[in-house]
Every structure is written in structure tokens, then in C-alpha cells.
Amino acid sequence: ENAVIKIKYKSGDVAISKNGVDIYTNTAVFAFTVPINSFRLSSSTGGSDFFGKIKNLTIHKDITSY
């Protein structure tokens, strides 16, 4: 079964949805000190890397499609 996972983030408005249902939200305020120019499916804390199948991955600059 395929799942649709969407992630949106901006300072004070972070959310993750699975199949159209929000499964995580956060209102933490943050700022990026460097531009985001890459996306990686791995753990930065020494945990396990992602092992699975991705059918489609898209990155949007706005949240109108969230």
C-alpha cells in the first residue's frame, strides 16, 4: 500500500501529514542560518538510514499543495 506523506515547515508552523491526516504539528520558532539546498533520507543522530521504496518525491516552495 502506498502512503502520501507531506511535510511543511516554516518558523512557528511545522506539520507532517499521512494520507491527508496531520500526524505531527509543532509551533516552535526557528531560523535557518544557511540555505536549504539538499534533501537526505538519513539520520543525523547516528540512527538507521532509510531503507525502503519511494515512488515519487517532489519539493515545493509554497504550501498551497499541502
Side-chain angles (χ1 to χ4, degrees), residues 25-57:
T25 59
N26 194 318
T27 58
V29 176
F30 59 88
F32 294 109
T33 57
V34 295
I36 298 174
N37 56 13
S38 65
F39 179 80
R40 184 169 90 169
L41 294 172
S42 65
S43 174
S44 63
T45 59
S48 298
D49 287 344
F50 173 80
F51 292 97
K53 295 180 181 180
I54 297 175
K55 186 175 181 178
N56 184 21
L57 173 67

Side-chain angles (χ1 to χ4, degrees), residues 4-39:
V4 175
I5 307 293
K6 294 183 179 183
I7 302 169
K8 71 173 180 175
Y9 64 91
K10 72 174 184 176
S11 185
D13 184 14
V14 176
I16 301 173
S17 72
K18 179 179 178 185
N19 296 329
V21 176
D22 282 346
I23 58 173
Y24 175 82
T25 59
N26 194 318
T27 58
V29 176
F30 59 88
F32 294 109
T33 57
V34 295
I36 298 174
N37 56 13
S38 65
F39 179 80

